[in-house]
Amino acid sequence: MSLSPKRRRLGRLGAAVAGAAGLALSLVVAPPAAADTPPADSVTSDNIEHVAHLPKPEGLESTNSDLAFTGDYAIGGNYNGFVIYDISEPEEPEVVSTVLCPGGQGDVSVSGDLLYYSVDYPRESADCGAAESSPADADAFEGMRVFDISDKENPQYVAAVPTACGSHTNSLVQGEETDYIYVSSYSPSERYPNCQPPHDQISVIEVPKDAPEDANLASEPVVFPDGGNHDQDNLLLPTQGCHDITVWAEKDIAAGACMGDGVIFDISDPLQPEVIETVRDENFAFWHSATFTNKGDGVIFTDELGGGGAPTCTPEVGPERGADAIFKLNVKEGKGDKPARADLKFRSYYKIDRHQGGEQNCVAHNGSLIPVKGKNYFVQSWYQGGVSIIDFNNLKKPEEIGYFDADDRVDEDVEVNTNTWSTYYYNGYIYSSDISRGFDVLKVDDKRLEKAEDVEFDEFNPQNQPQY
């Protein structure tokens, strides 16, 4: 979920207008606006229709990042805050409200009326209007922000929890009374008092649902007590914590993409996740994200070769680098004094074969399963490579069955570098968060995927994988 692993320290963000004292919030309530007519020159397969587009709203001209969903709403993260979209009519989405709260990354998760937002660039304080700071400042804030979004037109900022090295991504383990947020972060340095090496850990935040203002740092488990992968040639960064974690709470497991390592966690104790399997791959430069198969008998890991800023979808780079790696997974639950065990076995790579130009950054990025019972279909972003739908029912022979590559024009007068960060299936439609364009809605018409339309979620966090 990064443009570049080093941008968490180097990026520049404009400050929002400060509000009241305390946890200040700058809120822009946008008037309803009709979705734009999609440009005609996008490249798309016959089974995908581009049905709606919304440009980035005023104030959120910075980088768009991840998405989360609750009821008839999508929440879009941005390096300057977040936007709430009304998707009750998916082909006519509207902006409900925009929150300006700069902090970088903007990874989002939703739990009922609570929204969790990742801050990965240091600020002088936790206030939304706080100026950018230096990671060398011991008083700087970076970590998690908590918002109450029960009123979608007027979100409230209720808590801020600092974490070591900030929060690059966040993932949820949801309970009836308490949420646990797994915070992934990295890039430690001896110069950073709040981000000291070796940082082979994650942070776990505890949020009482009835009192989110009491959110607190509950544990900092060291998940690589013996250190991670530091020696492999061509790593973008050595293992120093994790980049992203996908939780499957019903099975008490999680899959971690941890820079130099792909791992499986036992999360039966949510405060002390434990690595029970590790895999490495000489073709992987940066283990970026993970998704379980429908039955939990496999995992797709993604490799963000070049940190999301390089043209890797070219014949010269080839099909095995900057790709997905698909593994067979076998998990044995722990019994008594015997701990849980897991085994990952490599099955295949997948990479789009629609080669992009030498100037187009294209690499495997964020996606989710399409919820067809008992089947494995995956929709995924590839930055400037667009959106790809993958059939990986045969783990050894994945194939693309649909694609959408947006036109660089958002209208007749405006041209941007289309750059889809995350693409997810939710209640009958595919939603894409584009770094530059904004928000796109796709409709897929394919007999293989029809049964997914029978699945309705009240809430969906792609890094909190449900049992279909």
Side-chain angles (χ1 to χ4, degrees):
M1 297 182 184
S2 59
L3 285 175
S4 166
K6 295 183 180 179
R7 281 192 61 176
R8 71 175 302 275
R9 298 298 170 194
L10 303 179
R12 303 292 300 179
L13 295 173
V17 177
L23 293 176
L25 175 67
S26 182
L27 174 68
V28 175
V29 179
D36 293 346
T37 301
D41 293 336
S42 298
V43 179
T44 183
S45 57
D46 293 340
N47 57 352
I48 292 181
E49 181 183 2
H50 186 194
V51 296
H53 167 72
L54 284 174
K56 292 190 286 190
E58 182 179 356
L60 297 187
E61 289 86 4
S62 189
T63 299
N64 268 356
S65 55
D66 214 359
L67 295 169
F69 303 87
T70 179
D72 289 333
Y73 300 92
I75 294 96
N78 180 281
Y79 279 29
N80 274 357
F82 63 90
V83 56
I84 299 180
Y85 300 99
D86 182 339
I87 55 170
S88 56
E89 298 291 337
E91 298 186 18
E92 298 181 358
E94 296 180 348
V95 173
V96 177
S97 59
T98 300
V99 170
L100 305 184
C101 200
Q105 196 62 22
D107 199 28
V108 288
S109 294
V110 64
S111 180
D113 290 332
L114 299 176
L115 176 70
Y116 306 126
Y117 177 95
S118 289
V119 177
D120 204 28
Y121 293 166
R123 316 303 294 183
E124 288 184 352
S125 75
D127 283 356
C128 283
E132 185 179 0
S133 184
S134 165
D137 181 359
D139 295 325
F141 169 78
E142 54 181 339
M144 293 299 305
R145 289 178 170 140
V146 181
F147 295 85
D148 182 333
I149 58 168
S150 53
D151 182 352
K152 302 297 186 293
E153 294 184 356
N154 189 30
Q156 298 296 309
Y157 186 14
V158 297
V161 181
T163 58
C165 298
S167 174
H168 195 71
T169 64
N170 71 83
S171 308
L172 291 182
V173 180
Q174 292 171 289
E176 292 184 5
E177 298 179 353
T178 304
D179 283 338
Y180 299 97
I181 308 173
Y182 286 175
V183 175
S184 296
S185 56
Y186 53 96
S187 293
S189 170
E190 295 285 357
R191 296 180 292 119
Y192 304 154
N194 300 320
C195 186
Q196 290 287 295
H199 191 73
D200 289 323
Q201 67 176 59
I202 65 172
S203 299
V204 183
I205 294 173
E206 185 178 54
V207 185
K209 291 185 176 182
D210 291 340
E213 66 276 10
D214 294 332
N216 64 91
L217 181 63
S219 66
E220 295 179 294
V222 176
V223 294
F224 296 102
D226 298 322
N229 186 0
H230 287 246
D231 301 325
Q232 180 180 315
D233 292 338
N234 299 320
L235 285 181
L236 186 65
L237 282 178
T239 301
Q240 30 185 231
C242 288
H243 177 274
D244 207 353
I245 296 171
T246 294
V247 167
W248 195 336
E250 291 87 350
K251 291 182 176 290
D252 282 337
I253 58 173
C258 302
M259 287 161 276
D261 296 275
V263 305
I264 300 297
F265 291 103
D266 175 355
I267 60 168
S268 53
D269 179 352
L271 290 175
Q272 295 295 329
E274 182 181 358
V275 173
I276 56 174
E277 172 66 329
T278 301
V279 290
R280 296 174 180 174
D281 186 328
E282 63 182 10
N283 286 318
F284 262 46
F286 190 79
W287 295 73
H288 177 274
S289 53
T291 301
F292 290 102
T293 58
N294 210 329
K295 296 179 181 179
D297 58 359
V299 182
I300 290 181
F301 289 102
T302 67
D303 173 27
E304 196 185 41
L305 176 66
T312 75
C313 298
T314 63
E316 293 77 17
V317 173
E320 297 180 350
R321 300 177 64 231
D324 298 332
I326 301 172
F327 288 80
K328 179 75 173 176
L329 172 64
N330 181 40
V331 178
K332 293 185 178 180
E333 297 181 2
K335 293 183 179 180
D337 295 332
K338 293 183 178 180
R341 292 183 293 138
D343 182 59
L344 286 166
K345 292 190 181 300
F346 175 79
R347 287 293 180 260
S348 64
Y349 294 109
Y350 169 80
K351 189 174 182 180
I352 59 172
D353 58 7
R354 292 172 286 106
H355 291 142
Q356 308 297 302
E359 299 298 320
Q360 289 189 300
N361 60 301
C362 170
V363 71
H365 217 238
N366 293 353
S368 72
L369 282 187
I370 298 176
V372 179
K373 184 178 179 180
K375 300 292 185 179
N376 293 318
Y377 299 102
F378 188 57
V379 61
Q380 182 178 13
S381 283
W382 289 79
Y383 284 125
Q384 287 182 272
V387 172
S388 179
I389 299 179
I390 307 157
D391 175 344
F392 69 113
N393 287 290
N394 183 341
L395 301 185
K396 294 182 178 180
K397 294 183 178 180
E399 62 175 338
E400 184 174 69
I401 61 171
Y403 58 88
F404 169 74
D405 194 349
D407 189 349
D408 281 347
R409 293 180 300 109
V410 292
D411 60 37
E412 291 183 357
D413 301 318
V414 178
E415 183 171 320
V416 299
N417 289 324
T418 58
N419 228 330
T420 177
W421 175 292
S422 54
T423 303
Y424 305 125
Y425 184 97
Y426 180 71
N427 293 353
Y429 287 82
I430 292 170
Y431 297 90
S432 171
S433 174
D434 191 286
I435 289 170
S436 303
R437 282 172 54 83
F439 185 66
D440 288 297
V441 186
L442 310 175
K443 182 67 175 176
V444 60
D445 181 11
D446 191 300
K447 289 184 178 180
R448 291 165 288 193
L449 308 177
E450 285 179 351
K451 290 185 178 180
E453 296 187 9
D454 297 331
V455 179
E456 290 286 329
F457 289 112
D458 295 325
E459 183 176 285
F460 180 51
N461 295 295
Q463 287 77 40
N464 187 9
Q465 196 164 326
Q467 175 77 52
Y468 296 132

